[in-house]
Amino acid sequence: MGVLMSRRQTVEKVQKVSLAVSAFKDGLQEQPSTWRRAEVGGMRQGTLEQVVQEGEEVLAGPSQPEESSASKAAWERLRDGRGLEPEEFDQANRFMLPTFIRPKRELHDDEPPDISLEQQEQVLNNEMCEICEVWTAENLFPCRICSRVYHDGCLRRMGYLQNDNAMEVMETAHTEMGWSCYYCDNLNLLLTEEEMYSLMETLWQCKIIPETCLTLDNFLHYKHLVHKQQFKWPMAKAQEEQAALQFSALDPNKKGHIKWHDFLSHESIQLLQKLRPQNALLRLLTAKEREQARAAFLALDQDSDGFITEGECRRARHAWFRKHQKETLSCNISINHVGPMLESSPASSGSSKSQEKTPPAMEQEEARPVDWPGFLRENVAYILAARPNSTALHLQPPA
């Protein structure tokens, strides 16, 4: 009879092999390096490690070995989608962090997925904790995006549940507001290895240091450089104003800077929009997200003809980005499953002034019919961007 291994045992075995490989690589790095950029079609992992090494050399000079080591570690964590390193944990009281495997594009990803409006999907959470694989129903915290569930004790031992946010998770995990697990909270884990290489190369060229906060000047300077690299001409004034609005959305508490995690989530979803067609993005939606989108569309389709207006579609788009209030929300309106609307959105009462004296062309655009597949395609990026627990808006919808 074979020996069955739990997921945690398998992860620990893989990590031991990874540590051995890392030790071997460290030994090779002591020898004179002859790194060359991998040719097209070569191993992408090599190019990722090269970006890590080059980023360390550029962002930290040779006269600062400690800073150089810290910078290199930050680039490695960025590449691998990790948080704290295992060696930073007390092994007697902590679980080993999981090894994240980046997704790979499939041949059929660009084909339209079959997401029916009439046929609802059965959404069920897992029965066992994702970390320890033990079932204790009354103490499990479900993710609002995927089907994974967790014990609060396991989250603490993984380092994902700290004292300052433990109570908030406990209060929100079983409410309509919900809580995103550490997989779904990190939009960067949606990127493939090739896409992650592209993002790292851009950050390195623009001299963005991983795990640091960005001020408005830093953010706008970065956006200007990225725009010029892509289009070969400077960013227009209107685009700069839109970037400033995005910075404000990423800084909801008006602290004057945005956190690295929020910046990385914003850049990850921006890159997904640029590199993948909408059909490929639709395949990233989970069953829970599809059900939320279905409930939003049916709530807007009052006459049940399978169409809503462009104005209603835009209002639903804004609705994805308002974080749920702490108090209990009404369940009488299906769109509340998506979330209440932004105060600055066209759907809010405070924006009634913007609806006065609407030009005829805008009225015609507002009345444009949108069917269910079109509703999903136009809103999929915003649905994905709403995954993180942070109060920041990681993809600001246009007004």
Side-chain angles (χ1 to χ4, degrees):
M1 181 180 293
V3 178
L4 297 178
M5 297 180 63
S6 70
R7 183 186 291 106
R8 185 156 59 90
Q9 289 173 322
T10 304
V11 168
E12 290 175 353
K13 183 176 181 180
V14 171
Q15 289 175 333
K16 289 179 181 178
V17 176
S18 300
L19 290 174
V21 173
S22 299
F24 176 73
K25 289 181 178 180
D26 291 339
L28 292 179
Q29 289 177 355
E30 295 178 359
Q31 301 176 3
S33 176
T34 57
W35 276 97
R36 294 291 184 271
R37 183 175 297 275
E39 298 179 357
V40 177
M43 293 184 64
R44 180 63 66 182
Q45 183 68 23
T47 61
L48 283 174
E49 292 178 351
Q50 182 185 19
V51 171
V52 171
Q53 185 175 357
E54 291 176 348
E56 172 263 319
E57 293 172 354
V58 171
L59 299 175
S63 60
Q64 300 173 328
E66 294 184 0
E67 183 179 348
S68 172
S69 176
S71 177
K72 181 178 179 180
W75 280 101
E76 289 176 345
R77 285 193 290 271
L78 174 61
R79 176 195 65 192
D80 298 334
R82 298 194 305 265
L84 294 175
E85 292 293 323
E87 56 268 20
E88 298 178 32
F89 286 97
D90 179 2
Q91 296 299 327
N93 299 314
R94 297 283 190 176
F95 287 143
M96 294 288 286
L97 290 176
T99 300
F100 295 110
I101 300 177
R102 292 196 174 275
K104 295 183 179 180
R105 296 290 308 278
E106 302 294 339
L107 293 177
H108 65 279
D109 279 356
D110 296 346
E111 299 175 2
D114 184 17
I115 304 177
S116 172
L117 175 62
E118 294 79 16
Q119 184 177 359
Q120 294 187 351
E121 302 178 58
Q122 188 176 13
V123 179
L124 296 175
N125 290 323
N126 296 342
E127 294 184 350
M128 295 188 298
C129 173
E130 179 70 16
I131 298 173
C132 70
E133 297 183 327
V134 173
W135 179 80
T136 49
E138 68 278 4
N139 296 323
L140 289 173
F141 293 93
C143 174
R144 67 183 175 91
I145 304 298
C146 66
S147 60
R148 300 182 184 95
V149 293
Y150 301 85
H151 292 122
D152 61 332
C154 292
L155 290 172
R156 291 178 190 275
R157 295 189 67 182
M158 289 289 290
Y160 290 113
L161 192 62
Q162 305 296 336
N163 292 331
D164 55 349
N165 65 348
M167 186 59 65
E168 182 179 354
V169 171
M170 294 177 184
E171 290 178 350
T172 60
H174 293 288
T175 65
E176 188 179 0
M177 175 180 177
W179 162 81
S180 296
C181 70
Y182 52 84
Y183 287 102
C184 300
D185 182 60
N186 189 355
L187 296 179
N188 185 252
L189 295 180
L190 296 175
L191 301 183
T192 64
E193 198 171 273
E194 290 78 11
E195 292 165 344
M196 190 62 227
Y197 164 73
S198 174
L199 178 57
M200 288 181 65
E201 188 173 42
T202 301
L203 296 174
W204 170 64
Q205 291 175 350
C206 296
K207 295 181 172 56
I208 296 295
I209 304 175
E211 303 181 5
T212 58
C213 297
L214 279 76
T215 64
L216 176 59
D217 290 339
N218 299 144
F219 186 77
L220 291 179
H221 180 67
Y222 169 80
K223 288 295 185 180
H224 274 284
L225 290 176
V226 171
H227 186 274
K228 197 165 185 179
Q229 286 178 1
Q230 183 176 357
F231 299 105
K232 308 302 181 184
W233 60 77
M235 182 186 295
K237 186 67 175 179
Q239 292 171 313
E240 182 177 339
E241 292 175 353
Q242 185 64 34
L245 289 176
Q246 178 62 72
F247 179 89
S248 180
L250 290 170
D251 180 26
N253 297 324
K254 309 305 177 186
K255 294 183 177 180
H257 64 267
I258 54 178
K259 298 178 180 178
W260 169 254
H261 180 76
D262 291 325
F263 171 75
L264 185 60
S265 293
H266 165 69
E267 287 302 307
S268 297
I269 199 69
Q270 288 276 74
L271 189 64
L272 285 173
Q273 279 190 298
K274 184 170 69 173
L275 298 183
R276 297 197 202 180
Q278 289 172 322
N279 287 333
L281 294 182
L282 285 172
R283 294 185 180 275
L284 298 177
L285 296 179
T286 66
K288 290 182 180 180
E289 289 173 318
R290 292 192 294 268
E291 278 302 300
Q292 290 170 349
R294 186 178 288 108
F297 186 88
L298 291 175
L300 294 170
D301 184 19
Q302 298 293 332
D303 54 4
S304 301
D305 65 348
F307 290 91
I308 63 174
T309 66
E310 170 62 26
E312 292 171 330
C313 181
R314 184 180 295 110
R315 288 191 285 272
R317 186 177 309 150
H318 280 266
W320 285 104
F321 282 86
R322 176 75 179 272
K323 302 299 179 179
H324 296 265
Q325 302 296 325
K326 297 293 183 182
E327 60 269 14
T328 304
L329 299 173
S330 171
C331 297
N332 296 329
I333 303 178
S334 298
I335 199 170
N336 275 343
H337 291 285
V338 179
M341 298 180 181
L342 280 169
E343 295 177 359
S344 59
S345 72
S348 65
S349 59
S351 61
S352 58
K353 294 181 180 179
S354 62
Q355 298 176 358
E356 298 176 359
K357 301 180 179 179
T358 305
M362 186 176 297
E363 289 182 352
Q364 186 176 359
E365 178 65 19
E366 288 278 318
R368 179 178 67 88
V370 178
D371 60 3
W372 167 241
F375 175 81
L376 283 178
R377 287 194 303 270
E378 293 184 25
N379 290 296
V380 60
Y382 300 97
I383 298 173
L384 293 172
R387 287 184 176 185
N389 294 308
S390 168
T391 56
L393 307 187
H394 298 98
L395 191 62
Q396 174 73 11

